[in-house]
């Protein structure tokens, strides 16, 4: 099944629900970053909540979400947009921590610290809002973020199931938000449903679609609004890295070519590597020098 997200309104339009299956994109991230089980679970949950948050925006707007915790995972970053694309990286991809029960210990891997959400709405300056990490289990942390930093009472459920050969058998989640006009009765009704729900990763592993997850959360009364395909996607290119090299300046580049035959750059998000030969770097230096205003 391909990854996608569904958006719906429920409870007379007073609750907004997003649900997503992200199994494929979490698997893609696992392959790219060689993730061990606890890193895969933590990062997969972050990618899931991030790609759903991206769907709350529009056009070419972009979100960068950083989880800065002091645990062995050493932080993680996700970048997402309104088109269902997400990419990211983890400080330490090789974390394997379990509770005694055998369940992956994501909270300890993440540790204490902060979540920072930077919005680039492409209209004015970027702005960042932050909140404290609660349990490090990601779902709780983002529910707290929405409720405290954005003043939208929210519930977040995200889960990733890593099977014994390290592959991802299920990934997905939901974000549910109370809109103005939502009553206390509806909120406690939903809280009851969530408290009695099976883990989201189990549901997806059993074949629950995003639509079916929305039905679980919304009961009888809901309206499906739209669906969107989701993917792990990086838009890097040799040209982008070339601009980065130019930004280093001519002196730095002269130093680099004096030390190395070829300059290798690699992308944090997708591990693509781009090589620049001595000839190419020399051409860049000439380009920079020719643009310099002559000193009087
Ligand atoms: Zn890339």
């Amino acid at each position: 099944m391909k990854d996608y997200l569904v958006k719906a309104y429920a409870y007379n339009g007073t609750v907004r629900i997003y649900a997503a299956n992200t199994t494929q994109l979490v698997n893609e991230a696992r392959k790219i970053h060689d993730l061990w089980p606890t890193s895969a679970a933590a990062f997969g949950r972050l990618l899931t909540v991030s790609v759903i948050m991206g769907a709350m925006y529009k056009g070419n707007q972009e979100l960068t979400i950083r989880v800065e915790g002091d645990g062995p995972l050493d932080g993680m970053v996700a970048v997402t947009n309104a088109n269902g694309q997400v990419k990211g990286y983890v400080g330490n991809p090789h974390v394997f921590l379990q509770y005694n029960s055998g369940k992956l210990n994501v909270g300890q891997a993440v540790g204490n610290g902060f979540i920072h959400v930077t919005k680039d709405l492409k209209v004015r300056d970027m702005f960042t809002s932050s909140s404290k990490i609660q349990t490090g289990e990601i779902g709780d942390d983002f529910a707290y973020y929405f409720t405290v930093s954005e003043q939208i009472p929210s519930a977040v459920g995200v889960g990733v199931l890593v099977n014994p050969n390290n592959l991802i058998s299920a990934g997905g989640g939901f974000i549910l938000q109370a809109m103005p006009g939502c009553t206390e009765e509806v909120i406690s009704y939903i809280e009851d449903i969530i408290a009695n729900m099976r883990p989201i990763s189990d549901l997806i592993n059993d074949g629950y679609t995003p639509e079916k997850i929305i039905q679980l959360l919304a009961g009888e009364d809901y309206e499906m609004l739209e669906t969107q395909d989701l993917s792990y996607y990086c838009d890097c290119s040799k040209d982008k890295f070339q601009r980065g090299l130019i930004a280093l300046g001519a002196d730095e580049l002269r130093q680099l070519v004096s030390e190395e035959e070829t300059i290798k750059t690699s992308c944090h998000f997708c591990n693509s590597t781009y090589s620049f030969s001595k000839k190419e770097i020399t051409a860049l230096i000439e380009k920079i020098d020719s643009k310099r205003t002559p000193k009087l």
Side-chain angles (χ1 to χ4, degrees):
M1 189 167 71
K2 69 174 190 225
D3 289 346
Y4 69 99
L5 165 152
V6 178
K7 181 180 174 185
Y9 278 119
Y11 303 99
N12 245 335
T14 61
V15 173
R16 187 164 62 184
I17 311 174
Y18 301 83
N21 184 329
T22 57
T23 308
Q24 308 291 334
L25 72 87
V26 177
N27 239 325
E28 184 66 20
R30 180 199 59 78
K31 265 191 277 175
I32 291 171
H33 297 290
D34 184 31
L35 300 172
W36 289 11
T38 312
S39 293
F43 189 48
R45 290 181 194 180
L46 175 67
L47 290 172
T48 301
V49 73
S50 300
V51 81
I52 298 175
M53 285 170 76
M56 297 172 185
Y57 293 84
K58 50 185 185 293
N60 60 351
Q61 298 177 341
E62 222 176 57
L63 285 182
T64 300
I65 300 162
R66 287 178 293 137
V67 175
E68 273 180 14
D70 61 4
L73 199 67
D74 199 17
M76 47 187 179
V77 177
V79 178
T80 187
N81 58 32
N83 305 316
Q85 296 165 332
V86 69
K87 62 182 179 179
Y89 55 87
V90 193
N92 180 1
H94 295 164
V95 179
F96 189 14
L97 271 176
Q98 287 171 296
Y99 291 103
N100 289 336
S101 63
K103 201 171 163 272
L104 297 169
N105 192 341
V106 171
Q108 197 187 335
V110 169
N112 296 308
F114 287 87
I115 291 173
H116 306 285
V117 178
T118 302
K119 296 171 191 168
D120 184 357
L121 305 181
K122 312 277 180 181
V123 284
R124 50 176 184 266
D125 294 343
M126 292 191 260
F127 53 96
T128 299
S129 31
S130 307
S131 68
K132 207 162 181 288
I133 291 173
Q134 299 300 299
T135 60
E137 298 281 341
I138 306 301
D140 304 338
D141 306 311
F142 279 86
Y144 183 80
Y145 166 79
F146 284 118
T147 307
V148 171
S149 289
E150 305 210 349
Q151 275 98 48
I152 306 169
S154 303
V156 179
V158 281
V160 169
L161 201 63
V162 186
N163 71 24
N165 51 8
N166 273 7
L167 298 176
I168 309 300
S169 23
F174 67 84
I175 298 179
L176 185 149
Q177 301 190 311
M179 311 303 288
C182 184
T183 61
E184 285 301 321
E185 287 76 21
V186 167
I187 289 176
S188 53
Y189 182 79
I190 296 169
E191 279 170 351
D192 244 21
I193 295 178
I194 293 173
N196 293 304
M197 220 168 129
R198 291 164 58 209
I200 198 88
S201 51
D202 285 357
L203 293 175
I204 289 173
N205 197 42
D206 284 352
Y208 274 65
T209 60
E211 288 87 344
K212 233 174 147 186
I213 292 165
I214 286 178
Q215 284 166 14
L216 277 182
L217 292 162
E220 302 289 296
D221 163 36
Y222 58 87
E223 181 195 354
M224 298 289 181
L225 294 179
E226 50 188 298
T227 62
Q228 184 177 47
D229 289 345
L230 306 175
S231 62
Y232 191 98
Y233 177 79
C234 185
D235 58 351
C236 68
S237 63
K238 185 162 179 176
D239 199 48
K240 273 196 173 176
F241 278 90
Q242 180 166 311
R243 273 177 273 155
L245 287 172
I246 291 171
L248 289 176
D251 293 341
E252 184 78 13
L253 292 179
R254 271 190 203 96
Q255 181 70 28
L256 279 173
V257 279
S258 72
E259 289 163 2
E260 308 281 345
E261 250 341 282
T262 43
I263 310 296
K264 275 210 169 102
T265 54
S266 75
C267 177
H268 281 315
F269 294 102
C270 70
N271 269 347
S272 297
T273 54
Y274 301 96
S275 303
F276 293 86
S277 66
K278 209 163 206 164
K279 207 174 142 196
E280 285 173 298
I281 299 288
T282 310
L284 290 184
I285 295 170
E286 280 167 13
K287 198 170 158 188
I288 298 168
D289 284 343
S290 72
K291 280 188 183 156
R292 250 188 211 164
T293 31
K295 285 194 185 105
L296 295 171

